[in-house]
Amino acid sequence: MVNKVLSAATETEQLFLRFLVGKSKVYKEEDYNDGLNEQDSDANQQNGWHQRTLLSVEKERRMRVLEEKKLQQRREAVFVRDFQQLLLTTINEKLENTQCVLCDHLQMHQQCVDLLTALIAKETRYSVLAELLDRNPYVRNHVIGLVSSQNFMALLGRQKRIVHDTQTAVGMIGTNGLRYLIPALMFKHCINIYNHHNPLFTKKLWRYQLTLGQACTSLMLEAGYRHPYEGQMLSAMLNFAYTASFHQYLTSFEHVRSRLILEAREQDESMRHGFFHDLKSDLASLQALLITKSDLMMSVTLATPVFSKDFPHLITALTEEVENIDFDSRSVLGQILFKAVYFAKYEQLRAARLFKDEWLASYFKSAHIDKTTFKLLSEQALFRFKPDW
């Protein structure tokens, strides 16, 4: 029975990675709404009666064209193999520079860390929060925009209002609401779901991260944890590896492609030059990259220097998850994160209609989630932001 449980969990984990990078969409387009948003079948076919007999010379020509096509495909397969090897090597070298990754790809500048620390770890006055928000223009502008949203403010039981200064917006939402909102906005910006290269991947990653963070919050509340608003931070920290890898992938892809185009031009290899000139970012190389990072050790490496001082308990829970510590040996937060990860992955696959019903019993037995908790998590639509915990 244990082997069956492990098999189901492993199969689901592999399916989740393929879904994340693949072309499968979440079933309903509405399922991407996070609540924070201010082959032709008629080809002509011939039967044997109408087919004319090919002349021998035409047969030879077709065979020649076919052989040339196969040769071209073999050449291109070599180009792709060499490109992917160089791309992955380049990405891994760049990702070793932790400080650059934190600043360039995760946007964890000091002003961002200061805002999170003041908001989550301390009791801070509205005026100080407003000042810190002004140093983070993207988050500030989004907060002000949400204050004028009837739907968002209704969730807080308040009327919308058109405001222009940060402190008024802070006062209208309140510290507790901002503790849930600002980390979500900050990490959504970090993922950059509006990129032009692979928006489907980033939308799915954000939907997973928001679901994971709010599953953590729900489980924290159930356990009586004092700071349930830390859920979204914990979720983002776990996904640092995927987020940073994706952004480095985009940067390195263009760098390596340009390098190989230049080399082909210098060596007067027109076929090679044309191939790399037309090459577009592909899912196979991105999936290969994410598989190499799926142990998420890089998440611990990136989160530790930023959050270990003010949020050591989050680093502990993150480390327990990444190192796959036995469930019963984990801290309270470590157990919460364990359950939330299982649920969030299930929820993405369920929404995409990829999760088989027969997996449910064995999968959730390994997830340590009882039926009552599972029902509670399922009913809350955790892929959509909740400011009213």
Side-chain angles (χ1 to χ4, degrees):
M1 181 62 185
V2 174
N3 289 335
K4 288 184 178 180
V5 172
L6 291 176
S7 176
T10 301
E11 187 173 355
T12 306
E13 173 66 23
Q14 294 173 348
L15 180 61
F16 174 75
L17 273 178
R18 292 196 300 272
F19 159 73
L20 200 60
V21 184
K23 296 180 180 179
S24 298
K25 295 184 179 181
V26 173
Y27 182 49
K28 298 178 181 177
E29 190 62 30
E30 174 63 16
D31 284 349
Y32 284 118
N33 177 12
D34 61 5
L36 294 172
N37 299 326
E38 345 143 79
Q39 176 160 314
D40 296 337
S41 60
D42 59 348
N44 293 326
Q45 298 182 356
Q46 295 177 325
N47 58 34
W49 179 260
H50 295 288
Q51 289 179 343
R52 67 181 177 85
T53 303
L54 296 176
L55 298 175
S56 59
V57 65
E58 191 171 355
K59 288 181 179 180
E60 292 177 1
R61 183 189 65 80
R62 291 196 175 188
M63 289 298 295
R64 196 164 54 249
V65 171
L66 184 60
E67 289 301 320
E68 290 175 355
K69 184 176 181 180
K70 289 181 179 179
L71 179 60
Q72 175 72 7
Q73 290 174 341
R74 287 196 292 269
R75 288 171 177 167
E76 291 183 353
V78 172
F79 294 160
V80 169
R81 181 201 63 196
D82 294 344
F83 178 84
Q84 289 185 347
Q85 289 177 349
L86 181 57
L87 176 61
L88 291 177
T89 299
T90 303
I91 291 173
N92 287 324
E93 289 176 353
K94 295 294 185 181
L95 290 176
E96 290 179 359
N97 190 332
T98 300
Q99 192 57 43
C100 285
V101 172
L102 284 169
C103 292
D104 296 343
H105 299 320
L106 298 179
Q107 302 296 307
M108 285 293 103
H109 305 289
Q110 190 58 49
Q111 60 265 32
C112 297
V113 179
D114 289 344
L115 175 57
L116 287 172
T117 302
L119 184 66
I120 305 299
K122 302 176 181 178
E123 293 294 333
T124 308
R125 298 192 308 274
Y126 285 173
S127 59
V128 176
L129 288 177
E131 182 181 344
L132 291 170
L133 264 175
D134 285 334
R135 299 177 191 172
N136 295 270
Y138 168 82
V139 181
R140 176 201 62 206
N141 294 341
H142 207 143
V143 167
I144 290 176
L146 286 172
V147 168
S148 65
S149 167
Q150 181 64 49
N151 291 336
F152 180 83
M153 294 304 289
L155 292 174
L156 297 173
R158 299 167 190 171
Q159 294 295 318
K160 72 172 185 176
R161 180 178 167 188
I162 305 299
V163 301
H164 302 287
D165 67 293
T166 311
Q167 187 165 335
T168 301
V170 167
M172 290 189 65
I173 296 177
T175 301
N176 199 54
L178 290 172
R179 283 171 168 161
Y180 292 107
L181 175 62
I182 287 178
L185 293 179
M186 193 173 290
F187 296 127
K188 181 180 182 180
H189 179 55
C190 171
I191 288 177
N192 185 15
I193 66 170
Y194 303 110
N195 77 92
H196 298 295
H197 293 273
N198 197 328
L200 184 58
F201 166 76
T202 47
K203 280 185 177 181
K204 287 189 286 189
L205 180 61
W206 167 241
R207 190 183 189 279
Y208 166 65
Q209 182 167 302
L210 183 60
T211 303
L212 173 58
Q214 297 199 130
C216 284
T217 293
S218 182
L219 292 168
M220 287 172 174
L221 288 168
E222 185 181 35
Y225 183 68
R226 289 179 56 200
H227 302 138
Y229 38 79
E230 292 177 344
Q232 199 60 48
M233 290 184 62
L234 190 53
S235 170
M237 288 160 56
L238 185 66
N239 284 313
F240 272 178
Y242 288 152
T243 305
S245 294
F246 175 69
H247 287 298
Q248 187 60 57
Y249 167 83
L250 297 181
T251 302
S252 296
F253 185 95
E254 292 302 327
H255 173 78
V256 171
R257 190 174 74 95
S258 298
R259 172 181 164 182
L260 293 176
I261 289 174
L262 181 60
E263 288 180 0
R265 184 182 302 154
E266 292 175 345
Q267 296 169 11
D268 197 25
E269 297 180 1
S270 59
M271 181 183 297
R272 196 159 167 261
H273 179 278
F275 176 81
F276 289 121
H277 184 273
D278 297 333
L279 187 64
K280 300 289 189 288
S281 58
D282 67 300
L283 298 178
S285 55
L286 177 57
Q287 188 174 45
L289 171 63
L290 295 188
I291 288 174
T292 65
K293 303 302 178 187
S294 60
D295 60 3
L296 301 181
M297 288 302 299
M298 193 170 74
S299 292
V300 177
T301 301
L302 292 169
T304 299
V306 179
F307 296 116
S308 59
K309 178 183 176 181
D310 295 295
F311 305 97
H313 50 298
L314 299 187
I315 296 296
T316 297
L318 175 65
T319 304
E320 290 171 345
E321 177 64 26
V322 170
E323 293 183 353
N324 198 26
I325 301 299
D326 181 72
F327 181 83
D328 294 328
S329 301
R330 297 189 183 206
S331 63
V332 172
L333 281 186
Q335 293 182 348
I336 286 173
L337 181 58
F338 180 93
K339 294 179 182 180
V341 167
Y342 265 83
F343 176 79
K345 289 180 178 178
Y346 155 78
E347 210 288 324
Q348 310 313 299
L349 296 176
R350 177 209 59 77
R353 306 183 79 181
L354 294 173
F355 195 94
K356 298 179 181 179
D357 291 339
E358 58 265 31
W359 294 348
L360 197 59
S362 60
Y363 183 66
F364 277 95
K365 184 172 183 179
S366 63
H368 294 271
I369 299 178
D370 59 71
K371 292 183 179 179
T372 301
T373 300
F374 172 55
K375 182 179 180 181
L376 175 65
L377 292 172
S378 299
E379 290 175 345
Q380 295 183 85
L382 297 175
F383 60 87
R384 188 169 291 120
F385 180 73
K386 291 167 57 68
D388 54 341
W389 291 98

